[in-house]
Amino acid sequence: ETLQPRDRLIPWYFVAFFLVIAAVDGVMATLAVRTQTGVVTDHAYEKGLAYNQVVAAEEVQEKLGWKGNIAFADNTLRFTLRDAAGKSLHPNSVTAHFMRPTQDGMDFDVTLANGSAAVTLPAPGLWEVRVFAHVGKETYQQAKRIVAP
């Protein structure tokens, strides 16, 4: 039996298939490198070891029964803190840490005076704000995700 002209191309079909796969992999690898945001946890091992301390601090905070409220509107961050009975607490100091979960290098801190601070976010989108309030020897922390226009 003689080979048809199209049968002689069959080995080249295999070569073409693998060239297409290699080209697609090259495009995907290039996109992955160019769009990498750099979001990585610093000192992940040490943070993992300190996990039990974080859990213990959370239990202490729960026993206090304090309730915080974080509000962000019109470029103003407001924070209030109440004890278990609903009485307003007046922290010695309040600091807010703004973190961009999707992009590295944009984190910053703001100190709140009298429970509020003017904040201009450097980029629109999703942000996480973590508030640390110090009342005497106790520290209260609370986090909230906000979306900036």
Side-chain angles (χ1 to χ4, degrees):
E1 189 174 321
T2 60
L3 289 175
Q4 298 293 326
R6 66 174 188 234
D7 293 341
R8 294 181 191 181
L9 295 176
I10 290 176
W12 292 107
Y13 293 149
F14 285 101
V15 171
F17 172 77
F18 285 108
L19 286 175
V20 169
I21 295 296
V24 170
D25 285 349
V27 168
M28 293 300 209
T30 301
L31 288 174
V33 170
R34 287 186 181 169
T35 60
Q36 203 274 347
T37 60
V39 178
V40 178
T41 299
D42 293 328
H43 310 290
Y45 180 72
E46 291 82 1
K47 287 182 179 179
L49 291 177
Y51 181 72
N52 287 339
Q53 295 170 342
V54 172
V55 170
E58 191 174 299
E59 288 174 355
V60 168
Q61 183 170 311
E62 269 187 40
K63 287 180 184 175
L64 290 172
W66 294 355
K67 300 290 181 205
N69 183 39
I70 299 171
F72 183 76
D74 300 324
N75 291 334
T76 302
L77 178 69
R78 289 184 176 79
F79 176 73
T80 57
L81 184 62
R82 299 191 179 280
D83 66 10
K87 182 183 173 193
S88 182
L89 294 171
H90 302 285
N92 304 342
S93 66
V94 179
T95 305
H97 178 72
F98 284 83
M99 179 175 50
R100 181 111 165 146
T102 58
Q103 194 170 0
D104 193 29
M106 299 185 86
D107 300 357
F108 64 96
D109 293 330
V110 173
T111 301
L112 280 73
N114 298 320
S116 69
V119 178
T120 302
L121 297 173
L126 182 65
W127 288 84
E128 181 167 325
V129 59
R130 183 169 297 273
V131 174
F132 299 90
H134 302 280
V135 179
K137 296 179 185 177
E138 302 297 337
T139 300
Y140 177 87
Q141 70 172 292
Q142 181 178 354
K144 181 176 184 176
R145 289 206 165 182
I146 59 173
V147 177

